[in-house]
Amino acid sequence: MSHKARQIIEDTNNEVLVSAIGLFEISIKLKLCKLVLRKSLADIFQDIKNAGIVTISIQDRHLLEYQSLELNPEHRDPFDRLIIATAISEQAAIVSIDQHFAYYQNLVEILW
């Protein structure tokens, strides 16, 4: 994670959000043995709660924003696109190393 992204996250004046869809994607990858974590998913959920990070559930406005996103033939991942739509709807930046998010940098701020 970049120094800039870390500073923004650690700044107590900023509200830090995590999308439930991102947590769902992590859960799927764990179940399929495509991801290994140092902590259990339950511990990660507790860490999120303890850090005061707000988990955003999927809202109607996120799905409506998802529908308005132009489909990029280079990036069709529905999880990523819903995370992007959520960030746009919430007027929030995204912290991600995923290079595909750069396709949407004209719509939402991408940090890493």
Side-chain angles (χ1 to χ4, degrees):
M1 181 180 310
S2 73
H3 179 70
K4 178 182 178 181
R6 184 174 302 280
Q7 279 185 317
I8 290 169
I9 290 170
E10 291 176 350
D11 184 341
T12 57
N13 293 315
N14 294 325
E15 183 178 33
V16 180
L17 311 171
V18 63
S19 173
I21 196 70
L23 298 173
F24 178 52
E25 188 173 16
I26 290 169
S27 180
I28 290 170
K29 289 183 179 191
L30 286 170
K31 187 70 173 174
L32 296 174
C33 299
K34 291 186 174 189
L35 178 66
V36 177
L37 300 175
R38 293 182 209 160
K39 293 183 174 188
S40 72
L41 193 55
D43 286 343
I44 291 171
F45 290 151
Q46 190 61 51
D47 289 347
I48 289 169
K49 183 178 177 182
N50 292 345
I53 297 171
V54 176
T55 301
I56 302 176
S57 58
I58 301 169
Q59 302 293 318
D60 294 351
R61 67 183 179 275
H62 304 152
L63 298 174
L64 292 170
E65 187 66 43
Y66 180 90
Q67 288 299 312
S68 73
L69 280 178
E70 189 174 319
L71 189 58
N72 184 320
E74 301 296 322
H75 185 239
R76 299 175 61 97
D77 184 311
F79 295 109
D80 288 356
R81 292 174 49 76
L82 186 51
I83 290 168
I84 291 160
T86 300
I88 292 168
S89 296
E90 299 294 330
Q91 298 180 338
I94 296 175
V95 177
S96 177
I97 194 169
D98 188 330
Q99 294 180 354
H100 289 108
F101 282 68
Y103 292 123
Y104 306 93
Q105 64 189 2
N106 61 323
L107 301 172
V108 65
E109 184 179 7
I110 311 296
L111 302 170
W112 187 256

